[in-house]
Amino acid sequence: MGPDIGDVFEVTAGDCTDCYCLDTGMYDTEAYGAAYILDDERPAVVETGIGTNHDRILEALDELGIGRDELEVIAVTHIHLDHAGGAGYLAEACPNADVYVSAAGAGLLADPSRLVAGTKDAVGDQWQYYVEPTPIDDDRIVELEDGDVVDLGEHELRVHEAPGHAFHQVVFEDPANDAVFVGDAAGIWVPETEEVRETSPPSDFDLEQCLADVELLKEIDPDVLLYTHFGPRAVGDAAAAALDAYADVLEKWVDAVESKRDELEDDAAVIDHFAETDEMVDVWGAEKASAEAVLNTRGVLGFLERRD
């Protein structure tokens, strides 16, 4: 049995130190949404969830003895609200913390109205689990570019652009831990079944760029992958093989959607087909498993339309 929703636990994968993982209870689903805390000279939270359960992150800081006024860095891999929805709430509660985000997406956190509209369109009925994000003042936002480094003390976050999943995605390399906070660039890790799943949401999903992002991660060659969905995964010397396995999953998934589109010749029918899935029901429940399939199918269909 793994940790329960709300539990914060030390990351012991590989040789990680000073790193803690929290199950935020995203979509009321266990082992789906993680936030990480690096307890360093400049304490940092990496990923903030959908905002609904941001209080769990604050409680985790309390549990680790990190004062609200001591937190300095709130870093998000990209601005999709399952990663950045809690950033504004944390910034309000932690007055000395800035929000570190890709420059490509920073404006949508300062004024999240378009982000909210896009999210509602993408997630449909799943919006019931969200809250409206809090706008973040421009002077609290630090815009990140490829190659930037966020110095935390013993640890640092090295920024690498990884725009396949979304044009505003970066990953954060932590050399001291030989780890990477991968956002959605390495797929969804399911610790219960020890498998990696596709993630291909609308509207920016691009297969070729996702495969390039996998190659980027292989070049970094980390010992530990820190998934937002979900949790730490020690890969050691098998990092390349683990990442190649995700590339294979992604290619097969896109091929499956394309084949079904060619067969049915109707996007709505394709979405309905994949929505009626038995996969992951035992892990995430029927509602979340179906919603995940719909989101990923729509993203692939959009990619295929642009490509064709």
Side-chain angles (χ1 to χ4, degrees), residues 96 245 267-268 292:
N96 296 318
D267 282 2
E292 190 80 16

Side-chain angles (χ1 to χ4, degrees), residues 117-124 201-203 291 294-295 298:
T119 303
K120 288 180 177 179
D121 179 65
V123 304
S203 57
V294 168
L295 193 71
R298 289 182 60 206

Side-chain angles (χ1 to χ4, degrees), residues 117-127 165 198-206 253-254 257-258 261 266-275 290-306:
T119 303
K120 288 180 177 179
D121 179 65
V123 304
D125 291 343
Q126 291 283 289
W127 180 256
H165 176 83
E198 67 277 349
T199 175
S200 57
S203 57
D204 305 316
F205 169 74
D206 183 285
W253 166 241
V254 172
V257 175
E258 184 173 21
R261 183 192 65 164
D266 179 80
D267 282 2
V270 174
I271 293 167
D272 288 343
H273 168 79
F274 286 104
S290 179
E292 190 80 16
V294 168
L295 193 71
N296 288 330
T297 303
R298 289 182 60 206
V300 173
L301 289 170
F303 163 71
L304 294 173
E305 183 176 352
R306 294 192 303 273

Side-chain angles (χ1 to χ4, degrees), residues 97-253:
D98 289 326
V99 177
Y100 291 70
V101 58
S102 165
L108 291 174
L109 290 189
D111 178 5
S113 55
R114 284 196 299 131
L115 182 58
V116 169
T119 303
K120 288 180 177 179
D121 179 65
V123 304
D125 291 343
Q126 291 283 289
W127 180 256
Q128 65 182 298
Y129 295 105
Y130 289 74
V131 293
E132 295 272 347
T134 296
I136 302 168
D137 291 341
D138 288 335
D139 62 1
R140 300 284 301 277
I141 294 175
V142 179
E143 298 186 4
L144 299 174
E145 303 281 359
D146 189 70
D148 284 349
V149 176
V150 183
D151 185 7
L152 304 179
E154 294 294 323
H155 301 267
E156 61 186 25
L157 301 177
R158 295 183 182 176
V159 179
H160 302 269
E161 291 180 352
H165 176 83
F167 71 89
H168 41 77
Q169 179 175 248
V170 300
V171 298
F172 297 116
E173 177 189 2
D174 175 1
N177 277 339
D178 196 6
V180 177
F181 299 90
V182 294
D184 287 335
I188 292 177
W189 173 243
V190 186
E192 182 175 330
T193 57
E194 296 190 344
E195 65 179 311
V196 66
R197 304 280 307 180
E198 67 277 349
T199 175
S200 57
S203 57
D204 305 316
F205 169 74
D206 183 285
L207 175 61
E208 281 75 25
Q209 186 58 60
C210 281
L211 297 177
D213 295 344
V214 168
E215 292 302 312
L216 163 69
L217 292 170
K218 287 168 63 178
E219 290 174 12
I220 298 173
D221 191 28
D223 187 45
V224 178
L225 302 174
L226 298 168
Y227 290 85
T228 310
H229 315 290
F230 170 85
R233 179 188 180 191
V235 289
D237 295 336
L243 292 162
D244 281 339
Y246 177 56
D248 186 56
V249 164
L250 208 50
E251 289 179 299
K252 288 180 177 176
W253 166 241

Side-chain angles (χ1 to χ4, degrees), residues 2 8 12 33 42 58 60 66 84 87 90 100 103 122 166 169 242 253 255 283 290:
V8 59
T12 57
R42 301 182 67 222
L58 296 172
I66 299 172
L90 293 182
Y100 291 70
Q169 179 175 248
W253 166 241
D255 285 346
V283 179
S290 179

